[in-house]
Amino acid sequence: MPSSPNILPEKQTSTCYHCGEDCKDEILHFDNKDFCCTGCQLVYEVLSENNLCNYYDIADNPGISQKAVSGRENRFDYLDDEDVINKLIDFQNGGETHITFTIPFIHCASCIWLLENLHKLNPGVISGRVDFIKKKVQVKFLQHKISLKELVQLLSRIGYEPLINLADTEKKQVKGTDKKLISKLAVAGFCFGNMMLFSLPEYFSEAELLGEGFKKTFNYLNVILALPVFFYAATDYYRSAWLSIRNKAVNMDVPIAIGIVTLFTYSLYDIFALGNEGYMDTLGGLLFFLLIGKYYQQKTYDTLSFDRDYKSYFPIAVTRVVKDEEEVIPLMKLHVGDIIRVRDSELIPADCILLDGEAYIDYSFVTGEEVPVSRKKGELIYAGGRQKGKALTLTVQKSPSQGYLTDLWNNESFDKEKPHGLESLANRISGKFTFLVLLIALLALIFWVWTGQVSLGILAFTSVLIITCPCALAMSTPFTLGNTLRVFGQGKLYLKNAQVIEKLAKIDTVIFDKTGTLTAPSQASVSYVGEPLSSETKSLVKAMVNQSNHALSNRINAWLDGVRAVSLHEEVEEITGKGLQTQYKSQEIKLGSREFVGADLKNLPEGGNMVFFAVENTVLGYFFIQSGLRKGVDKVISSIHEDKEVHLLSGDQDHERHNLQKIFGEKIRMTFNQGPKDKLAYVKNLNKSGRETLMVGDGLNDAGALRESKVGIAITDKVTNFSPASDAIMDAAMIRKLPDFLNFTKTSINIIKASFGLSFSYNIVGVYFAVQGLVSPVFCAILMPISSISVVVFTTLSTNYLAYKRGLKSKIW
């Protein structure tokens, strides 16, 4: 039997066997192994009892620390609600249920192995299947043996608690790869391959050896194979071309459709009327290569979600108080007048009135302001705030769908689909290209008819339309933009679609949010001014800030990293909105605002927050805290400003304006005290003035501005986490490369233009022969694949090589 746990002396150090973290406060010794907390030990016990300790053999310290796991047993009670269950599950029949969970803690092979062996932990689980990239696991279970609530409790107990939020109850159908496109590609490929086989004798001028009967048979077989290509595989191009013409425009699909129809019609005439071989193999190849380009374009779609609203952030359940008894209910069943309880670090789900005590609300989620604000009994607390400290009792004033936070999503910017902002480069060129081709074809027809050679004129007319069908032109854009999407993805900038690249190339104004985008809590600058702090004093301050979740306390705590906190015999009292106080060696110790400690100091610095330190009402000094800028953002701003206008928006007060101006100079326009609607209006005004705007933000408070801008990039420290609705998601660590990404979008457009020139050169050669009536099936069969393949090779090589040269890729391939 394993030995019972023992707490070793505090001075001993060890590494947790489960999660690999240092055992700083205590070491739990169990089964001859060390653990940092009871949570990690409990996970090990569960795995050990079920003979699943191979989990630890696959990777060293694969688990997630369980120190912060909530111990409330009733927090999953909402999963007993039938309405919630029906909205969360993917499939259910008489005995089996399928559900897909998002689990952010999946990070290694051990995690995958354990989640795919859930059936060994509970016989009610049939199987688990992990999608490592999306951090999702699909679980199949028998509902008569294990309930959904018990399944979630099981996952939580082993350290893989699912992320379940309000948006999960309103699942949208995720579009996968179009199955019709795959079937059309398969049909075109099958027909093209066989048509090439039947046309081999023609390619080598040996058709007469087959005899007239065999030759006609092969031509008729090609006609039969061309029917599904023309009437099925090409239908998307007909539909797109017709819609374009009906809207009085010409897109890339118009000349393609003209080429396909001409190619098929003339081939029928050539085979049945003239007794020749026709161009059916060229038709099959044309559609095959075009559909490959379209399929490649679809496959570049990234798996991240870019269209998130407040429901992606809100919890799915809330604690309601009825006759002094707590019950966990789904958020959808919360009504005005209900009394709810919100604990430390929980999100306030609706506009509420505080019923007792004081609240300490962190609104950074909504406004961007980092420092929490104080609210007293009877005051209104807006949805989206996060409680810091003891549990609050609140009464609901508005339903979650009508609060201050959700009002942002009622703005007209969210009511309509974001316009593309510019016409595709390929479509702009194709309009002129189509009219030019038709003009050349008509001139060739007129010339030969005028000379008395009507049949040669018809041949020249149709040959020009056939040879100039822009297959290579159509493939250059998706392959260039697809390669650019992959380059950006490897650089941790994930774009919503290829059109975003073209929009980014047009940007002339960049707007940055400050808090969380240009700044990072881990980079905060902390300095101490006053009487020198002894080792004992530092340990005392460390012990006090350890007891607080305030943003400024956290920064002082990080500044004192490595200092061991003293043992306090008196409780540290946190006075909301003021500071911390305690008793140490019969002396009153205070840490907080100037008013709280009674400081009367002059000539204090500007550009940051101050936390004063006092002993027995004597101020010994203060901590001066400035928002830390992300590494290299000054160079980012400077580089972008070389050819673009730069703006800064912040929800903070302007106490850091002077410091930021010293760093960025006068080249950046700063506007402070900006709420969510203010930011949205600011971007809207820039758009009305004709600016091509790029908004770079991180928080939910930036969602309106991200949506309103021509391009919105959401910055996040973890790309798998939720982020506001946006056109792109960027890993915060890669913000230093933002200027390189913006410049490379122009490079991509130049590559497309160069590939257009390459494809046009092939068209010129083809037109030269076509006008003279010298085009043959062999000529078309050779020129079309050569032009298409060479354009694909050129765009792929150019994109990867230039990305490598500019440091956006570590290697060419």
Side-chain angles (χ1 to χ4, degrees), residues 33-98:
K33 295 172 178 64
D34 297 333
F35 299 92
C36 65
C37 63
T38 55
C40 288
Q41 177 194 315
L42 179 61
V43 176
Y44 172 79
E45 286 186 62
V46 172
L47 299 183
S48 179
E49 289 170 1
N50 290 275
N51 298 315
L52 289 174
C53 282
N54 287 344
Y55 171 75
Y56 298 101
D57 298 332
I58 299 172
D60 295 330
N61 311 125
I64 302 297
S65 177
Q66 301 297 295
K67 291 179 183 177
V69 174
S70 174
R72 289 194 294 136
E73 294 297 326
N74 65 343
R75 60 197 175 103
F76 298 124
D77 285 355
Y78 65 91
L79 293 175
D80 288 328
D81 188 284
E82 285 297 325
D83 291 337
V84 173
I85 293 173
N86 292 333
K87 290 183 178 181
L88 289 177
I89 62 174
D90 302 326
F91 168 83
Q92 188 175 58
N93 59 15
E96 188 173 312
T97 300
H98 300 177

Side-chain angles (χ1 to χ4, degrees), residues 444-465:
L445 174 63
I446 293 170
F447 173 77
W448 289 113
V449 171
W450 183 68
T451 60
Q453 302 183 61
V454 178
S455 60
L456 194 58
I458 295 174
L459 175 63
F461 177 78
T462 54
S463 296
V464 170
L465 295 180

Side-chain angles (χ1 to χ4, degrees), residues 79 97 138 156 189 214 234 280-281 327 338 352 358 388 421 453 474 483 494 514 534 551 556 621 649 663 739:
L79 293 175
T97 300
Q138 184 188 63
S156 178
F214 267 115
M280 293 304 185
D281 53 336
E327 60 177 0
D338 284 349
C352 299
E358 278 189 301
K388 295 292 185 181
Q453 302 183 61
N483 279 308
Y494 305 94
K514 180 180 80 73
S534 65
I556 295 173
L649 300 179
I663 297 172

